Amino acid sequence: MLKTRIIPTLLMREVNLVKGPAFDSWRAVGAPMQSVKVFNRRDVDELVLLDIAATPSGQGPDISKLATLGQECFVPLTIGGGITQLDQIRELLLAGADKVSINSAAYETPELITAASEAYGAQCIVAAVDYRNHDDGARECYSRCGAHPTGLDPISWAKRLEELGAGEIQLTCIERDGMMTGYDLETIAEVAEAVSIPVIASGGVGNFDDFVHAVEAGASAVAASSIYLFTQATPREAKAHLDAAGIPVRSSFQG
């Protein structure tokens, strides 16, 4: 069994890191550079940094700013936000990213996923899938930071993303994100069953048992933000909890 990865997610808006419930009411929670340096020392397996202002503003990634952060990040780094062109992916990889996260552009120009995968390898391409559960039980993917409904359901879209060449799926339930009420385990299980590439569970972690349940549902990695920002919980403690539950993790927390 592959070792489960512990992945903090940082949301950047202009000069601040932000966080809010259900993709709304964003409030500043710190500085990007400070958080990158903190997580360098927290036994994380990877770090995801998303510029949530880039796509809504119509701007591409701020390569200079992201390069500065990338130079200080000593764990594998995924960068996303505003990516629409193959050249931007190249620049981000040269700036220190190990992977890129693509969301809105995948709906608008799906061939970008294929081109990026062919140019840089599927292992570099994370497809971000943000979705909502509607009152009638239907699930729908949303682009542009949860603002634009796409009419696609996350299971069929995840399958399509794999066909296009994505190497991983980061699956985020919008209405659970930031609420700390637990992952949407049913959708995680269905997406993990539908694809053969790794699924990163995201959106809703409130305690370490939520990580365990996500892995049991089929997730290969567990991403979280609020539990690290607003509680005393640490990635090291999360790894110890998973290890105690019999889930393989990197053993850097021991000793």
Side-chain angles (χ1 to χ4, degrees):
M1 183 177 180
L2 295 177
K3 294 182 178 180
T4 297
R5 291 167 288 149
I6 301 296
I7 306 176
T9 300
L10 301 177
L11 305 179
M12 185 171 66
R13 192 175 189 180
E14 298 177 352
V15 299
N16 295 314
L17 292 181
V18 297
K19 189 62 184 175
F23 284 28
D24 196 12
S25 302
W26 303 109
R27 63 166 168 143
V29 293
M33 182 64 77
Q34 179 183 11
S35 292
V36 166
K37 289 181 177 180
V38 167
F39 282 118
N40 277 337
R41 303 190 299 270
R42 291 290 177 88
D43 294 318
V44 304
D45 297 310
E46 298 179 20
L47 191 62
V48 172
L49 178 63
L50 304 176
D51 184 349
I52 64 169
T55 294
S57 66
Q59 299 176 354
D62 186 333
I63 303 297
S64 177
K65 180 193 298 183
L66 293 169
T68 300
L69 294 170
Q71 289 169 3
E72 295 296 330
C73 186
F74 305 130
V75 299
L77 176 64
T78 299
I79 292 178
I83 297 172
T84 59
Q85 301 173 23
L86 196 61
D87 285 349
Q88 294 169 331
I89 296 173
R90 177 180 180 274
E91 290 177 340
L92 288 170
L93 294 174
L94 290 174
D98 298 276
K99 305 176 186 179
V100 294
S101 177
I102 301 174
N103 187 329
S104 299
Y107 299 100
E108 298 161 9
T109 53
E111 60 271 18
L112 177 64
I113 298 289
T114 304
S117 181
E118 292 176 350
Y120 304 112
Q123 77 283 352
C124 290
I125 311 304
V126 180
V129 177
D130 302 333
Y131 70 95
R132 299 181 189 271
N133 288 291
H134 294 309
D135 292 340
D136 63 0
R139 290 170 289 204
E140 184 177 11
C141 299
Y142 279 68
S143 65
R144 299 188 170 271
C145 296
H148 181 73
T150 67
L152 299 169
D153 74 89
I155 291 83
S156 62
W157 182 234
K159 292 171 68 174
R160 177 60 176 148
L161 289 166
E162 181 179 21
E163 293 170 357
L164 288 167
E168 291 186 283
I169 302 290
Q170 181 162 350
L171 183 68
T172 303
C173 179
I174 294 172
E175 69 267 19
R176 287 176 178 262
D177 191 72
M179 302 301 290
M180 302 181 71
T181 55
Y183 290 120
D184 178 1
L185 299 176
E186 180 179 353
T187 305
I188 291 170
E190 291 187 35
V191 171
E193 177 67 22
V195 301
S196 60
I197 58 177
V199 174
I200 305 169
S202 178
V205 172
N207 57 62
F208 295 143
D209 282 336
D210 292 332
F211 290 138
V212 175
H213 298 325
V215 176
E216 292 173 342
S220 298
V222 285
S225 180
S226 293
I227 192 172
Y228 301 132
L229 293 172
F230 302 130
T231 79
Q232 298 301 309
T234 68
R236 179 180 292 235
E237 292 168 338
K239 285 189 174 184
H241 191 87
L242 288 169
D243 181 69
I247 296 172
V249 293
R250 292 183 181 179
S251 58
S252 56
F253 70 90
Q254 296 173 346

